[in-house]
Amino acid sequence: LDRADGFRYLAGLANAAIRFSIDHADPVVPRFFRSPDSRTQWGGENADNQYLLAGVCGDGAYRMTGTRGTAFEFLIEVKEGFMQLGDDRIFSTVAASDLAFEKDGSFEIVFSALRPNGYTGNWIPLHADTKLIVIRQYFLDWENEIPATFYLERIGSEGAAPTPLTASSRCSTSAATVDEVLGLVRLA
């Protein structure tokens, strides 16, 4: 690698960190973000995986809906944060093969600290320190397999607008992003 490739790598990581922290880290209105991808790689990714992540908080309750698709497998992980930055605790891992699906391939999963009373469907516990839900889809035949789809909402915040960015929240988000990028530079 030459210096230009190194700068491209760093710029890709900085871009992903900024996009995630501003547009995808809101635990009130969570949205999945594809990262790493072919332009933004942290190192150690599996070439046959697609990675999605969404910011959540451990004291919330969330509902994920979607369709199974035909990908070989997918894993859903409930995590403390980014392992590359030292936040490497994984609180739960559930494989698609362990979930119940409707005949049409649709599914619902509830994420919460405690299983809701009377709820018998798919449930994944949230640890108090949870900050991310990460999905890894595994593909054996990228040209013919259909990816699963995922939609995540915080229970009680359905239809809510994203949390407005204020000057103070933008500053704290920017500071966290700078810390994240500096952490990545130290690792490189």
Side-chain angles (χ1 to χ4, degrees):
L1 290 176
D2 63 22
R3 181 169 243 170
D5 288 331
F7 282 119
R8 175 180 286 155
Y9 176 78
L10 180 59
L13 291 175
N15 179 37
I18 291 166
R19 286 179 48 220
F20 178 77
S21 65
I22 291 175
D23 292 331
H24 298 274
D26 185 350
V28 175
V29 184
R31 292 180 8 181
F32 282 109
F33 176 66
R34 185 172 176 189
S35 181
D37 59 21
S38 61
R39 299 290 283 162
T40 307
Q41 299 178 355
W42 288 42
E45 296 85 23
N46 182 326
D48 292 321
N49 285 8
Q50 178 192 72
Y51 299 85
L52 302 170
L53 51 102
V56 297
C57 61
D59 64 354
Y62 298 86
R63 179 182 302 106
M64 180 189 292
T65 56
T67 57
R68 172 64 179 91
T70 61
F72 171 70
E73 180 70 279
F74 65 77
L75 296 178
I76 300 170
E77 294 178 324
V78 175
K79 300 179 71 169
E80 175 185 23
F82 298 101
M83 72 175 186
Q84 295 87 340
L85 301 177
D87 300 331
D88 55 359
R89 290 186 296 167
I90 299 172
F91 303 118
S92 300
T93 301
V94 176
S97 54
D98 296 325
L99 298 171
F101 294 89
E102 299 296 325
K103 289 181 183 179
D104 65 357
S106 63
F107 65 90
E108 176 182 279
I109 305 167
V110 170
F111 298 80
S112 58
L114 301 171
R115 181 186 286 271
N117 287 335
Y119 184 76
T120 60
N122 296 313
W123 173 72
I124 299 176
L126 286 184
H127 185 278
D129 295 336
T130 299
K131 293 184 187 113
L132 289 176
I133 293 177
V134 176
I135 298 169
R136 294 186 214 190
Q137 291 195 72
Y138 295 84
F139 296 92
L140 300 178
D141 183 351
W142 283 88
E143 294 196 21
N144 294 304
E145 290 176 315
I146 299 167
T149 60
F150 304 94
Y151 176 74
L152 186 64
E153 62 186 356
R154 185 173 176 143
I155 296 172
S157 295
E158 297 88 343
T163 304
L165 286 177
T166 62
S168 64
S169 71
R170 187 173 293 269
C171 287
S172 65
T173 297
S174 297
T177 301
V178 168
D179 288 345
E180 182 175 330
V181 172
L182 290 175
L184 294 171
V185 170
R186 283 196 263 324
L187 293 173

